[in-house]
PDB file of all heavy atoms in Angstrom:
ATOM      1  N   ASP Y   1      52.062   9.022  33.344  1.00 92.00           N
ATOM      2  CA  ASP Y   1      53.290   9.640  33.858  1.00 92.00           C
ATOM      3  C   ASP Y   1      53.376  11.100  33.441  1.00 92.00           C
ATOM      4  O   ASP Y   1      53.807  11.960  34.218  1.00 92.00           O
ATOM      5  CB  ASP Y   1      54.516   8.879  33.342  1.00 92.00           C
ATOM      6  CG  ASP Y   1      54.701   7.529  34.013  1.00 92.00           C
ATOM      7  OD1 ASP Y   1      54.054   7.310  35.059  1.00 92.00           O
ATOM      8  OD2 ASP Y   1      55.475   6.702  33.510  1.00 92.00           O
ATOM      9  N   MET Y   2      52.941  11.387  32.209  1.00 93.00           N
ATOM     10  CA  MET Y   2      52.952  12.764  31.739  1.00 93.00           C
ATOM     11  C   MET Y   2      52.003  13.624  32.560  1.00 93.00           C
ATOM     12  O   MET Y   2      52.310  14.769  32.901  1.00 93.00           O
ATOM     13  CB  MET Y   2      52.550  12.816  30.269  1.00 93.00           C
ATOM     14  CG  MET Y   2      52.597  14.211  29.666  1.00 93.00           C
ATOM     15  SD  MET Y   2      51.931  14.265  27.975  1.00 93.00           S
ATOM     16  CE  MET Y   2      50.176  13.985  28.350  1.00 93.00           C
ATOM     17  N   ALA Y   3      50.835  13.064  32.914  1.00 93.00           N
ATOM     18  CA  ALA Y   3      49.874  13.809  33.724  1.00 93.00           C
ATOM     19  C   ALA Y   3      50.438  14.110  35.106  1.00 93.00           C
ATOM     20  O   ALA Y   3      50.285  15.224  35.632  1.00 93.00           O
ATOM     21  CB  ALA Y   3      48.572  13.021  33.840  1.00 93.00           C
ATOM     22  N   VAL Y   4      51.087  13.124  35.718  1.00 93.00           N
ATOM     23  CA  VAL Y   4      51.697  13.342  37.027  1.00 93.00           C
ATOM     24  C   VAL Y   4      52.800  14.394  36.943  1.00 93.00           C
ATOM     25  O   VAL Y   4      52.920  15.265  37.803  1.00 93.00           O
ATOM     26  CB  VAL Y   4      52.252  12.023  37.592  1.00 93.00           C
ATOM     27  CG1 VAL Y   4      53.036  12.267  38.878  1.00 93.00           C
ATOM     28  CG2 VAL Y   4      51.111  11.040  37.866  1.00 93.00           C
ATOM     29  N   LYS Y   5      53.607  14.328  35.879  1.00 94.00           N
ATOM     30  CA  LYS Y   5      54.666  15.323  35.696  1.00 94.00           C
ATOM     31  C   LYS Y   5      54.072  16.715  35.503  1.00 94.00           C
ATOM     32  O   LYS Y   5      54.578  17.710  36.048  1.00 94.00           O
ATOM     33  CB  LYS Y   5      55.511  14.946  34.474  1.00 94.00           C
ATOM     34  CG  LYS Y   5      56.614  15.956  34.129  1.00 94.00           C
ATOM     35  CD  LYS Y   5      57.644  16.106  35.258  1.00 94.00           C
ATOM     36  CE  LYS Y   5      58.911  16.812  34.804  1.00 94.00           C
ATOM     37  NZ  LYS Y   5      58.670  18.174  34.296  1.00 94.00           N
ATOM     38  N   TYR Y   6      53.000  16.816  34.728  1.00 94.00           N
ATOM     39  CA  TYR Y   6      52.354  18.104  34.494  1.00 94.00           C
ATOM     40  C   TYR Y   6      51.835  18.689  35.803  1.00 94.00           C
ATOM     41  O   TYR Y   6      52.039  19.878  36.099  1.00 94.00           O
ATOM     42  CB  TYR Y   6      51.221  17.933  33.491  1.00 94.00           C
ATOM     43  CG  TYR Y   6      50.418  19.189  33.257  1.00 94.00           C
ATOM     44  CD1 TYR Y   6      51.001  20.330  32.719  1.00 94.00           C
ATOM     45  CD2 TYR Y   6      49.057  19.231  33.552  1.00 94.00           C
ATOM     46  CE1 TYR Y   6      50.263  21.476  32.488  1.00 94.00           C
ATOM     47  CE2 TYR Y   6      48.307  20.377  33.331  1.00 94.00           C
ATOM     48  CZ  TYR Y   6      48.915  21.494  32.795  1.00 94.00           C
ATOM     49  OH  TYR Y   6      48.178  22.633  32.588  1.00 94.00           O
ATOM     50  N   MET Y   7      51.161  17.873  36.623  1.00 95.00           N
ATOM     51  CA  MET Y   7      50.647  18.374  37.893  1.00 95.00           C
ATOM     52  C   MET Y   7      51.794  18.757  38.823  1.00 95.00           C
ATOM     53  O   MET Y   7      51.701  19.755  39.549  1.00 95.00           O
ATOM     54  CB  MET Y   7      49.735  17.324  38.535  1.00 95.00           C
ATOM     55  CG  MET Y   7      48.422  17.130  37.790  1.00 95.00           C
ATOM     56  SD  MET Y   7      47.229  16.085  38.674  1.00 95.00           S
ATOM     57  CE  MET Y   7      48.026  14.484  38.534  1.00 95.00           C
ATOM     58  N   SER Y   8      52.870  17.989  38.804  1.00 95.00           N
ATOM     59  CA  SER Y   8      54.032  18.329  39.629  1.00 95.00           C
ATOM     60  C   SER Y   8      54.646  19.649  39.173  1.00 95.00           C
ATOM     61  O   SER Y   8      55.079  20.466  39.993  1.00 95.00           O
ATOM     62  CB  SER Y   8      55.077  17.209  39.556  1.00 95.00           C
ATOM     63  OG  SER Y   8      54.551  15.983  40.039  1.00 95.00           O
ATOM     64  N   ASP Y   9      54.671  19.884  37.863  1.00 95.00           N
ATOM     65  CA  ASP Y   9      55.191  21.150  37.347  1.00 95.00           C
ATOM     66  C   ASP Y   9      54.326  22.326  37.795  1.00 95.00           C
ATOM     67  O   ASP Y   9      54.837  23.417  38.094  1.00 95.00           O
ATOM     68  CB  ASP Y   9      55.264  21.115  35.821  1.00 95.00           C
ATOM     69  CG  ASP Y   9      56.390  20.232  35.302  1.00 95.00           C
ATOM     70  OD1 ASP Y   9      57.274  19.888  36.104  1.00 95.00           O
ATOM     71  OD2 ASP Y   9      56.369  19.887  34.096  1.00 95.00           O
ATOM     72  N   LEU Y  10      53.010  22.126  37.841  1.00 95.00           N
ATOM     73  CA  LEU Y  10      52.124  23.190  38.322  1.00 95.00           C
ATOM     74  C   LEU Y  10      52.380  23.486  39.796  1.00 95.00           C
ATOM     75  O   LEU Y  10      52.349  24.650  40.217  1.00 95.00           O
ATOM     76  CB  LEU Y  10      50.663  22.792  38.101  1.00 95.00           C
ATOM     77  CG  LEU Y  10      50.161  22.814  36.658  1.00 95.00           C
ATOM     78  CD1 LEU Y  10      48.728  22.304  36.582  1.00 95.00           C
ATOM     79  CD2 LEU Y  10      50.237  24.230  36.090  1.00 95.00           C
ATOM     80  N   VAL Y  11      52.627  22.450  40.572  1.00 96.00           N
ATOM     81  CA  VAL Y  11      52.972  22.668  41.989  1.00 96.00           C
ATOM     82  C   VAL Y  11      54.282  23.441  42.093  1.00 96.00           C
ATOM     83  O   VAL Y  11      54.425  24.333  42.930  1.00 96.00           O
ATOM     84  CB  VAL Y  11      53.063  21.325  42.736  1.00 96.00           C
ATOM     85  CG1 VAL Y  11      53.533  21.546  44.180  1.00 96.00           C
ATOM     86  CG2 VAL Y  11      51.713  20.614  42.735  1.00 96.00           C
ATOM     87  N   ALA Y  12      55.256  23.105  41.227  1.00 95.00           N
ATOM     88  CA  ALA Y  12      56.525  23.834  41.227  1.00 95.00           C
ATOM     89  C   ALA Y  12      56.296  25.311  40.908  1.00 95.00           C
ATOM     90  O   ALA Y  12      56.867  26.206  41.555  1.00 95.00           O
ATOM     91  CB  ALA Y  12      57.491  23.213  40.220  1.00 95.00           C
ATOM     92  N   MET Y  13      55.460  25.609  39.913  1.00 95.00           N
ATOM     93  CA  MET Y  13      55.148  26.993  39.569  1.00 95.00           C
ATOM     94  C   MET Y  13      54.435  27.700  40.713  1.00 95.00           C
ATOM     95  O   MET Y  13      54.678  28.882  40.981  1.00 95.00           O
ATOM     96  CB  MET Y  13      54.290  27.032  38.309  1.00 95.00           C
ATOM     97  CG  MET Y  13      54.996  26.557  37.050  1.00 95.00           C
ATOM     98  SD  MET Y  13      53.921  26.600  35.589  1.00 95.00           S
ATOM     99  CE  MET Y  13      53.632  28.369  35.465  1.00 95.00           C
ATOM    100  N   MET Y  14      53.566  26.982  41.392  1.00 94.00           N
ATOM    101  CA  MET Y  14      52.877  27.535  42.551  1.00 94.00           C
ATOM    102  C   MET Y  14      53.876  27.965  43.618  1.00 94.00           C
ATOM    103  O   MET Y  14      53.767  29.047  44.208  1.00 94.00           O
ATOM    104  CB  MET Y  14      51.909  26.494  43.113  1.00 94.00           C
ATOM    105  CG  MET Y  14      51.151  26.904  44.356  1.00 94.00           C
ATOM    106  SD  MET Y  14      50.232  25.510  45.066  1.00 94.00           S
ATOM    107  CE  MET Y  14      51.587  24.578  45.832  1.00 94.00           C
ATOM    108  N   CYS Y  15      54.877  27.127  43.844  1.00 94.00           N
ATOM    109  CA  CYS Y  15      55.877  27.418  44.870  1.00 94.00           C
ATOM    110  C   CYS Y  15      56.851  28.502  44.437  1.00 94.00           C
ATOM    111  O   CYS Y  15      57.452  29.185  45.282  1.00 94.00           O
ATOM    112  CB  CYS Y  15      56.654  26.145  45.230  1.00 94.00           C
ATOM    113  SG  CYS Y  15      55.650  24.857  46.012  1.00 94.00           S
ATOM    114  N   GLU Y  16      57.029  28.674  43.131  1.00 92.00           N
ATOM    115  CA  GLU Y  16      57.956  29.688  42.631  1.00 92.00           C
ATOM    116  C   GLU Y  16      57.343  31.085  42.606  1.00 92.00           C
ATOM    117  O   GLU Y  16      58.063  32.070  42.443  1.00 92.00           O
ATOM    118  CB  GLU Y  16      58.409  29.310  41.218  1.00 92.00           C
ATOM    119  CG  GLU Y  16      59.303  28.063  41.184  1.00 92.00           C
ATOM    120  CD  GLU Y  16      59.469  27.510  39.782  1.00 92.00           C
ATOM    121  OE1 GLU Y  16      58.941  28.146  38.835  1.00 92.00           O
ATOM    122  OE2 GLU Y  16      60.111  26.455  39.622  1.00 92.00           O
ATOM    123  N   ALA Y  17      56.014  31.173  42.752  1.00 87.00           N
ATOM    124  CA  ALA Y  17      55.362  32.487  42.735  1.00 87.00           C
ATOM    125  C   ALA Y  17      55.849  33.315  43.920  1.00 87.00           C
ATOM    126  O   ALA Y  17      56.148  32.779  44.995  1.00 87.00           O
ATOM    127  CB  ALA Y  17      53.844  32.315  42.796  1.00 87.00           C
ATOM    128  N   PRO Y  18      55.944  34.634  43.758  1.00 83.00           N
ATOM    129  CA  PRO Y  18      56.378  35.498  44.868  1.00 83.00           C
ATOM    130  C   PRO Y  18      55.476  35.328  46.085  1.00 83.00           C
ATOM    131  O   PRO Y  18      54.273  35.092  45.939  1.00 83.00           O
ATOM    132  CB  PRO Y  18      56.258  36.909  44.287  1.00 83.00           C
ATOM    133  CG  PRO Y  18      56.312  36.728  42.807  1.00 83.00           C
ATOM    134  CD  PRO Y  18      55.674  35.401  42.532  1.00 83.00           C
ATOM    135  N   VAL Y  19      56.063  35.450  47.253  1.00 73.00           N
ATOM    136  CA  VAL Y  19      55.288  35.276  48.475  1.00 73.00           C
ATOM    137  C   VAL Y  19      54.144  36.275  48.536  1.00 73.00           C
ATOM    138  O   VAL Y  19      53.045  35.958  49.006  1.00 73.00           O
ATOM    139  CB  VAL Y  19      56.197  35.425  49.712  1.00 73.00           C
ATOM    140  CG1 VAL Y  19      55.364  35.406  50.990  1.00 73.00           C
ATOM    141  CG2 VAL Y  19      57.231  34.317  49.734  1.00 73.00           C
ATOM    142  N   GLU Y  20      54.354  37.494  48.025  1.00 57.00           N
ATOM    143  CA  GLU Y  20      53.287  38.485  48.088  1.00 57.00           C
ATOM    144  C   GLU Y  20      52.071  38.053  47.281  1.00 57.00           C
ATOM    145  O   GLU Y  20      50.955  38.511  47.532  1.00 57.00           O
ATOM    146  CB  GLU Y  20      53.770  39.843  47.578  1.00 57.00           C
ATOM    147  CG  GLU Y  20      54.391  39.811  46.185  1.00 57.00           C
ATOM    148  CD  GLU Y  20      55.897  39.642  46.240  1.00 57.00           C
ATOM    149  OE1 GLU Y  20      56.399  39.104  47.248  1.00 57.00           O
ATOM    150  OE2 GLU Y  20      56.568  40.074  45.288  1.00 57.00           O
ATOM    151  N   ALA Y  21      52.264  37.145  46.306  1.00 51.00           N
ATOM    152  CA  ALA Y  21      51.119  36.655  45.542  1.00 51.00           C
ATOM    153  C   ALA Y  21      50.190  35.823  46.417  1.00 51.00           C
ATOM    154  O   ALA Y  21      49.021  35.650  46.093  1.00 51.00           O
ATOM    155  CB  ALA Y  21      51.587  35.818  44.360  1.00 51.00           C
ATOM    156  N   ASP Y  22      50.723  35.310  47.531  1.00 52.00           N
ATOM    157  CA  ASP Y  22      49.904  34.521  48.443  1.00 52.00           C
ATOM    158  C   ASP Y  22      49.276  35.367  49.540  1.00 52.00           C
ATOM    159  O   ASP Y  22      48.588  34.839  50.405  1.00 52.00           O
ATOM    160  CB  ASP Y  22      50.751  33.418  49.086  1.00 52.00           C
ATOM    161  CG  ASP Y  22      51.119  32.333  48.089  1.00 52.00           C
ATOM    162  OD1 ASP Y  22      50.352  32.152  47.128  1.00 52.00           O
ATOM    163  OD2 ASP Y  22      52.170  31.697  48.263  1.00 52.00           O
ATOM    164  N   THR Y  23      49.527  36.666  49.544  1.00 51.00           N
ATOM    165  CA  THR Y  23      48.973  37.525  50.587  1.00 51.00           C
ATOM    166  C   THR Y  23      48.014  38.563  50.030  1.00 51.00           C
ATOM    167  O   THR Y  23      47.483  39.359  50.778  1.00 51.00           O
ATOM    168  CB  THR Y  23      50.112  38.254  51.327  1.00 51.00           C
ATOM    169  OG1 THR Y  23      50.862  39.042  50.380  1.00 51.00           O
ATOM    170  CG2 THR Y  23      51.028  37.270  52.012  1.00 51.00           C
ATOM    171  N   ARG Y  24      47.785  38.555  48.705  1.00 48.00           N
ATOM    172  CA  ARG Y  24      46.872  39.531  48.135  1.00 48.00           C
ATOM    173  C   ARG Y  24      45.445  39.186  48.531  1.00 48.00           C
ATOM    174  O   ARG Y  24      45.118  38.033  48.807  1.00 48.00           O
ATOM    175  CB  ARG Y  24      46.996  39.522  46.605  1.00 48.00           C
ATOM    176  CG  ARG Y  24      46.615  38.200  45.968  1.00 48.00           C
ATOM    177  CD  ARG Y  24      47.017  38.161  44.524  1.00 48.00           C
ATOM    178  NE  ARG Y  24      46.662  36.852  43.954  1.00 48.00           N
ATOM    179  CZ  ARG Y  24      47.341  36.276  43.006  1.00 48.00           C
ATOM    180  NH1 ARG Y  24      48.419  36.844  42.525  1.00 48.00           N
ATOM    181  NH2 ARG Y  24      46.957  35.115  42.516  1.00 48.00           N
ATOM    182  N   THR Y  25      44.575  40.171  48.531  1.00 47.00           N
ATOM    183  CA  THR Y  25      43.174  39.931  48.841  1.00 47.00           C
ATOM    184  C   THR Y  25      42.460  39.485  47.581  1.00 47.00           C
ATOM    185  O   THR Y  25      42.883  39.772  46.467  1.00 47.00           O
ATOM    186  CB  THR Y  25      42.501  41.215  49.366  1.00 47.00           C
ATOM    187  OG1 THR Y  25      42.558  42.214  48.329  1.00 47.00           O
ATOM    188  CG2 THR Y  25      43.216  41.744  50.591  1.00 47.00           C
ATOM    189  N   ASP Y  26      41.349  38.782  47.765  1.00 46.00           N
ATOM    190  CA  ASP Y  26      40.608  38.284  46.619  1.00 46.00           C
ATOM    191  C   ASP Y  26      40.096  39.417  45.737  1.00 46.00           C
ATOM    192  O   ASP Y  26      40.032  39.297  44.524  1.00 46.00           O
ATOM    193  CB  ASP Y  26      39.416  37.438  47.089  1.00 46.00           C
ATOM    194  CG  ASP Y  26      39.867  36.193  47.823  1.00 46.00           C
ATOM    195  OD1 ASP Y  26      40.954  35.686  47.510  1.00 46.00           O
ATOM    196  OD2 ASP Y  26      39.135  35.742  48.709  1.00 46.00           O
ATOM    197  N   GLU Y  27      39.727  40.549  46.368  1.00 47.00           N
ATOM    198  CA  GLU Y  27      39.178  41.653  45.605  1.00 47.00           C
ATOM    199  C   GLU Y  27      40.215  42.319  44.711  1.00 47.00           C
ATOM    200  O   GLU Y  27      39.872  43.094  43.822  1.00 47.00           O
ATOM    201  CB  GLU Y  27      38.558  42.684  46.547  1.00 47.00           C
ATOM    202  CG  GLU Y  27      37.292  42.228  47.244  1.00 47.00           C
ATOM    203  CD  GLU Y  27      37.542  41.152  48.287  1.00 47.00           C
ATOM    204  OE1 GLU Y  27      38.680  41.065  48.798  1.00 47.00           O
ATOM    205  OE2 GLU Y  27      36.602  40.401  48.589  1.00 47.00           O
ATOM    206  N   ASP Y  28      41.515  42.045  44.958  1.00 48.00           N
ATOM    207  CA  ASP Y  28      42.559  42.633  44.131  1.00 48.00           C
ATOM    208  C   ASP Y  28      42.520  42.094  42.711  1.00 48.00           C
ATOM    209  O   ASP Y  28      42.980  42.739  41.782  1.00 48.00           O
ATOM    210  CB  ASP Y  28      43.951  42.346  44.732  1.00 48.00           C
ATOM    211  CG  ASP Y  28      44.190  43.122  46.014  1.00 48.00           C
ATOM    212  OD1 ASP Y  28      43.512  44.151  46.192  1.00 48.00           O
ATOM    213  OD2 ASP Y  28      45.034  42.700  46.808  1.00 48.00           O
ATOM    214  N   ARG Y  29      41.962  40.899  42.534  1.00 61.00           N
ATOM    215  CA  ARG Y  29      41.987  40.286  41.209  1.00 61.00           C
ATOM    216  C   ARG Y  29      40.656  39.620  40.914  1.00 61.00           C
ATOM    217  O   ARG Y  29      40.505  38.405  41.073  1.00 61.00           O
ATOM    218  CB  ARG Y  29      43.129  39.284  41.114  1.00 61.00           C
ATOM    219  CG  ARG Y  29      44.514  39.905  41.197  1.00 61.00           C
ATOM    220  CD  ARG Y  29      45.595  38.919  40.861  1.00 61.00           C
ATOM    221  NE  ARG Y  29      45.427  38.405  39.506  1.00 61.00           N
ATOM    222  CZ  ARG Y  29      46.199  37.452  38.982  1.00 61.00           C
ATOM    223  NH1 ARG Y  29      47.175  36.938  39.693  1.00 61.00           N
ATOM    224  NH2 ARG Y  29      45.999  37.014  37.765  1.00 61.00           N
ATOM    225  N   PRO Y  30      39.647  40.398  40.489  1.00 77.00           N
ATOM    226  CA  PRO Y  30      38.339  39.809  40.175  1.00 77.00           C
ATOM    227  C   PRO Y  30      38.432  38.714  39.122  1.00 77.00           C
ATOM    228  O   PRO Y  30      37.699  37.722  39.184  1.00 77.00           O
ATOM    229  CB  PRO Y  30      37.534  41.015  39.662  1.00 77.00           C
ATOM    230  CG  PRO Y  30      38.187  42.205  40.282  1.00 77.00           C
ATOM    231  CD  PRO Y  30      39.645  41.870  40.352  1.00 77.00           C
ATOM    232  N   ALA Y  31      39.341  38.881  38.145  1.00 75.00           N
ATOM    233  CA  ALA Y  31      39.464  37.856  37.106  1.00 75.00           C
ATOM    234  C   ALA Y  31      39.918  36.527  37.692  1.00 75.00           C
ATOM    235  O   ALA Y  31      39.417  35.461  37.314  1.00 75.00           O
ATOM    236  CB  ALA Y  31      40.448  38.326  36.030  1.00 75.00           C
ATOM    237  N   SER Y  32      40.860  36.572  38.628  1.00 69.00           N
ATOM    238  CA  SER Y  32      41.317  35.345  39.272  1.00 69.00           C
ATOM    239  C   SER Y  32      40.206  34.734  40.114  1.00 69.00           C
ATOM    240  O   SER Y  32      40.047  33.510  40.159  1.00 69.00           O
ATOM    241  CB  SER Y  32      42.548  35.626  40.137  1.00 69.00           C
ATOM    242  OG  SER Y  32      43.643  35.996  39.346  1.00 69.00           O
ATOM    243  N   ARG Y  33      39.432  35.591  40.767  1.00 76.00           N
ATOM    244  CA  ARG Y  33      38.304  35.100  41.548  1.00 76.00           C
ATOM    245  C   ARG Y  33      37.303  34.396  40.638  1.00 76.00           C
ATOM    246  O   ARG Y  33      36.805  33.305  40.945  1.00 76.00           O
ATOM    247  CB  ARG Y  33      37.644  36.272  42.276  1.00 76.00           C
ATOM    248  CG  ARG Y  33      36.261  35.972  42.829  1.00 76.00           C
ATOM    249  CD  ARG Y  33      36.301  34.984  43.958  1.00 76.00           C
ATOM    250  NE  ARG Y  33      36.679  35.631  45.198  1.00 76.00           N
ATOM    251  CZ  ARG Y  33      36.601  35.041  46.392  1.00 76.00           C
ATOM    252  NH1 ARG Y  33      36.200  33.798  46.480  1.00 76.00           N
ATOM    253  NH2 ARG Y  33      36.978  35.668  47.478  1.00 76.00           N
ATOM    254  N   LEU Y  34      37.023  35.004  39.476  1.00 84.00           N
ATOM    255  CA  LEU Y  34      36.082  34.398  38.543  1.00 84.00           C
ATOM    256  C   LEU Y  34      36.626  33.076  38.013  1.00 84.00           C
ATOM    257  O   LEU Y  34      35.873  32.102  37.849  1.00 84.00           O
ATOM    258  CB  LEU Y  34      35.801  35.360  37.390  1.00 84.00           C
ATOM    259  CG  LEU Y  34      34.783  34.884  36.343  1.00 84.00           C
ATOM    260  CD1 LEU Y  34      33.440  34.571  36.992  1.00 84.00           C
ATOM    261  CD2 LEU Y  34      34.617  35.925  35.249  1.00 84.00           C
ATOM    262  N   ASN Y  35      37.928  33.000  37.761  1.00 79.00           N
ATOM    263  CA  ASN Y  35      38.523  31.741  37.305  1.00 79.00           C
ATOM    264  C   ASN Y  35      38.363  30.646  38.347  1.00 79.00           C
ATOM    265  O   ASN Y  35      38.088  29.487  38.016  1.00 79.00           O
ATOM    266  CB  ASN Y  35      40.001  31.947  36.980  1.00 79.00           C
ATOM    267  CG  ASN Y  35      40.214  32.735  35.706  1.00 79.00           C
ATOM    268  OD1 ASN Y  35      39.342  32.775  34.852  1.00 79.00           O
ATOM    269  ND2 ASN Y  35      41.368  33.357  35.584  1.00 79.00           N
ATOM    270  N   ALA Y  36      38.537  31.009  39.613  1.00 77.00           N
ATOM    271  CA  ALA Y  36      38.371  30.031  40.688  1.00 77.00           C
ATOM    272  C   ALA Y  36      36.925  29.561  40.768  1.00 77.00           C
ATOM    273  O   ALA Y  36      36.644  28.374  40.995  1.00 77.00           O
ATOM    274  CB  ALA Y  36      38.811  30.634  42.021  1.00 77.00           C
ATOM    275  N   ILE Y  37      35.992  30.477  40.587  1.00 85.00           N
ATOM    276  CA  ILE Y  37      34.576  30.122  40.620  1.00 85.00           C
ATOM    277  C   ILE Y  37      34.237  29.209  39.448  1.00 85.00           C
ATOM    278  O   ILE Y  37      33.502  28.226  39.590  1.00 85.00           O
ATOM    279  CB  ILE Y  37      33.713  31.398  40.608  1.00 85.00           C
ATOM    280  CG1 ILE Y  37      33.824  32.105  41.968  1.00 85.00           C
ATOM    281  CG2 ILE Y  37      32.257  31.084  40.292  1.00 85.00           C
ATOM    282  CD1 ILE Y  37      33.156  33.455  42.024  1.00 85.00           C
ATOM    283  N   LYS Y  38      34.794  29.524  38.279  1.00 85.00           N
ATOM    284  CA  LYS Y  38      34.547  28.673  37.115  1.00 85.00           C
ATOM    285  C   LYS Y  38      35.111  27.268  37.331  1.00 85.00           C
ATOM    286  O   LYS Y  38      34.507  26.269  36.905  1.00 85.00           O
ATOM    287  CB  LYS Y  38      35.152  29.301  35.863  1.00 85.00           C
ATOM    288  CG  LYS Y  38      34.394  30.530  35.364  1.00 85.00           C
ATOM    289  CD  LYS Y  38      35.059  31.104  34.120  1.00 85.00           C
ATOM    290  CE  LYS Y  38      34.266  32.279  33.568  1.00 85.00           C
ATOM    291  NZ  LYS Y  38      34.900  32.866  32.359  1.00 85.00           N
TER     292      LYS Y  38
END
């Protein structure tokens, strides 16, 4: 139950992020790109 709650909280944080965070290009944040690759 804790794991499900944790994942649900991450989804909530995802939805709370500013809309512009979903429109940035990948090259704007190499560190985020590297995290995704990892």
Side-chain angles (χ1 to χ4, degrees):
D1 287 345
M2 183 187 70
V4 173
K5 177 62 165 60
Y6 176 63
M7 290 189 290
S8 299
D9 287 345
L10 288 176
V11 175
M13 294 179 64
M14 178 189 75
C15 295
E16 291 166 4
V19 173
E20 54 267 24
D22 289 333
T23 59
R24 62 192 179 212
T25 62
D26 296 330
E27 290 70 24
D28 290 337
R29 294 190 60 184
S32 294
R33 165 68 80 170
L34 182 58
N35 287 337
I37 288 173
K38 288 180 177 180

